[in-house]
Amino acid sequence: MGGASLRPEDYDPRLNDFVLSLARSGRPRVCFVPTASGDSPVYVANFYRAFSGHHDCEPSDLGLFERTVADLRGFVLSQDVIWVGGGNTASLLAVWRMHGLDIVLREAWEQGVVLCGVSAGMNCWFEGSTTDSFDLTRVAALPDGLGLLPGSCCPHYDGEEQRRPLYTRLVAEGALAPGYAADDAAALVFEGTELREVVCTEDGSTGYRVDASGEEPLPARLL
């Protein structure tokens, strides 16, 4: 997801209705992973408010800074959807690796759990990405993702002015592998490692294939 919000004042349930439709259960178990925000209590509260108030599901959250889940593998594999929040991608990856969550998430993906997320929660699944993890005023390359999806990615493509020119330049220069970008109101839908479609919640929002020759807008389906 390029920039989906969970804040009550601008929450749009359509994208998460779509996410839940991909789950293997009629009433999916949805786990929010707020690591990138430092397990922000406000972010966690917004998740529960959104998913309890708008969707027929069983929400839960996984905190790692004050961890209470001893059996990480059992907990994660019991979920139908893993929803990763935004924040600091580099810190997210470091904490996940320290706890072994990176390995567990790969196993969950291989077993059919839906993996999704916004911003840092989009970046993490690819081999590389653009991030403001090291300086909030300056976006940079981060070639250190989990690599479940090949290539690189860029969220907030139309929402943050540095993202588009930087990403196209980094790919053209070979600092990041070719990949995909998503506007704030768009999401890329992968089945395995193949892009199946692009969905959006606003007319004109879409995803893009970006390689050394430039960007190619992709057709998007309005939810």
Side-chain angles (χ1 to χ4, degrees):
M1 305 174 189
S5 173
L6 294 178
R7 292 187 298 268
E9 61 270 23
D10 47 25
Y11 183 66
D12 186 331
R14 288 177 293 168
L15 186 53
N16 285 316
D17 278 338
F18 172 74
V19 169
L20 297 183
S21 76
L22 302 175
R24 56 192 176 186
S25 168
R27 191 169 189 269
R29 291 160 292 185
V30 184
C31 177
F32 180 56
V33 184
T35 316
S37 66
D39 292 347
S40 163
V42 173
Y43 206 175
V44 173
N46 284 342
F47 163 77
Y48 279 104
R49 187 177 293 110
F51 277 79
S52 297
H54 296 275
H55 307 283
D56 184 19
C57 64
E58 298 179 29
S60 63
D61 68 280
L62 176 60
L64 295 178
F65 288 89
E66 295 184 5
R67 181 172 159 182
T68 59
V69 176
D71 181 6
L72 203 61
R73 179 177 179 273
F75 178 79
V76 170
L77 295 182
S78 72
Q79 305 299 316
D80 300 302
V81 177
I82 301 293
W83 207 109
V84 180
N88 191 302
T89 307
S91 296
L92 172 152
L93 290 167
V95 172
W96 282 6
R97 286 165 176 152
M98 181 60 69
H99 287 263
L101 184 59
D102 56 328
I103 297 170
V104 174
L105 286 170
R106 178 177 288 275
E107 185 177 357
W109 174 61
E110 291 170 346
Q111 291 192 18
V113 176
V114 176
L115 305 182
C116 69
V118 60
S119 193
M122 170 179 166
N123 285 346
C124 61
W125 312 118
F126 290 81
E127 293 174 326
S129 62
T130 62
T131 183
D132 57 7
S133 293
F134 308 107
D135 182 347
L136 287 175
T137 66
R138 184 170 173 269
V139 179
L142 180 64
D144 189 34
L146 297 185
L148 301 187
L149 297 176
S152 65
C153 76
C154 181
H156 305 298
Y157 207 53
D158 65 344
E160 297 179 5
E161 62 180 4
Q162 293 186 42
R163 297 277 181 169
R164 187 180 225 127
L166 177 73
Y167 185 52
T168 53
R169 177 172 63 80
L170 289 172
V171 172
E173 293 174 351
L176 286 175
Y180 296 92
D183 289 337
D184 274 348
L188 309 168
V189 185
F190 287 84
E191 186 168 358
T193 59
E194 299 297 319
L195 182 70
R196 191 175 80 181
E197 67 172 332
V198 179
V199 296
C200 66
T201 55
E202 292 181 9
D203 273 320
S205 292
T206 192
Y208 305 81
R209 175 65 181 170
V210 179
D211 59 24
S213 65
E215 65 177 39
E216 176 191 357
L218 301 170
R221 178 169 65 89
L222 183 66
L223 295 174

